[in-house]
Amino acid sequence: MPEPEELPHRTLDPRSLRGLAHPLRIQLLRSLRHHGPATASQLAAQLGESSGATSYHLRQLAVHGFVQDDPTRGKGRERWWKAGPQSTSVDESLYRNPDPEIRGALDVYVHEVATIHTQELSTYLGTRHDWDPRWLGASDMSDFTLRLPPEKLRELDGRLHALIEEYRDVEEADSPDAERVRIHLHAFPQHGN
């Protein structure tokens, strides 16, 4: 299947966060980003939902600019959707927002993202023996513990993101043995020594 068209990054603000912060909406956007354009019925079958629910939530995502119609596909009344921005981040000010509705939406969003990361890793671990053995040695599940102030953690995070971006358009991306690779970065404070 062809990769989805690359579109710009989206930083969530209070309005767009409220528009995205629903588990099904996050799953719909993830599916369109990873698998390309689809209809509400196709997404319903893939996610085990009703087409009415997927259709409603796709329209809500469209209102907030996360998805859009794909006029190059479909016939008649068949409506195809494609992802808008291919990556999303949280504006840091949302973590300090005093509005309980914003804090609740942020909780839904970050917990759903963490759940997706856990599911993706678990799926890989459960299917790792199906991959060419070269992938087993190339994959990584490292963890590190550092003592850093918040500014240094922001700096480290920025440097890691910049390094990953250097690999986005490598020449080898079109080689026969290239696969989509997921990278999860989790960095958070932890009590204790």
Side-chain angles (χ1 to χ4, degrees):
M1 169 160 289
E3 288 296 311
E5 177 184 338
E6 285 297 319
L7 294 169
H9 173 82
R10 174 85 179 262
T11 301
L12 297 175
D13 58 28
R15 183 178 181 277
S16 59
L17 172 65
R18 286 191 301 266
L20 180 59
H22 184 284
L24 182 54
R25 291 180 193 170
I26 294 167
Q27 291 288 340
L28 289 165
L29 180 57
R30 176 182 172 269
S31 180
L32 291 171
R33 284 178 175 172
H34 286 223
H35 305 295
T39 66
S41 296
Q42 290 168 334
L43 290 163
Q46 179 188 350
L47 300 173
E49 296 287 339
S50 73
S51 60
T54 57
S55 183
Y56 169 78
H57 287 291
L58 285 163
R59 288 192 308 274
Q60 294 303 306
L61 286 168
V63 166
H64 295 279
F66 291 104
V67 302
Q68 57 201 25
D69 281 314
D70 186 350
T72 65
R73 299 173 187 266
K75 317 177 213 47
R77 295 181 56 204
E78 187 176 56
R79 187 173 188 182
W80 283 73
W81 297 93
K82 64 181 180 178
Q86 289 296 309
S87 65
T88 308
S89 64
V90 175
D91 182 304
E92 191 173 317
S93 68
L94 292 176
Y95 290 101
R96 295 183 300 276
N97 193 305
D99 183 338
E101 184 180 334
I102 300 299
R103 286 197 320 258
L106 185 59
D107 284 347
V108 168
Y109 176 76
V110 297
H111 281 96
E112 189 63 23
V113 168
T115 298
I116 289 168
H117 289 183
T118 301
Q119 289 169 343
E120 288 179 344
L121 181 57
S122 293
T123 298
Y124 167 71
L125 291 174
T127 62
R128 71 184 181 277
H129 298 297
D130 298 340
W131 289 92
D132 182 304
R134 294 176 300 156
W135 285 104
L136 298 177
S139 63
D140 181 41
M141 285 185 21
S142 298
D143 64 88
F144 307 89
T145 302
L146 306 171
R147 285 190 59 82
L148 301 171
E151 307 79 47
K152 283 296 181 186
L153 181 54
R154 280 187 193 88
E155 177 186 319
L156 176 60
D157 189 51
R159 291 176 67 188
L160 289 168
H161 283 239
L163 177 61
I164 290 166
E165 284 302 315
E166 289 178 22
Y167 286 82
R168 187 166 299 283
D169 296 315
V170 296
E171 292 176 17
E172 297 85 356
D174 293 328
S175 74
D177 63 343
E179 297 284 352
R180 179 179 24 213
V181 173
R182 293 286 288 153
I183 300 168
H184 300 164
L185 295 176
H186 302 157
F188 49 90
Q190 186 179 47
H191 290 290
N193 295 339

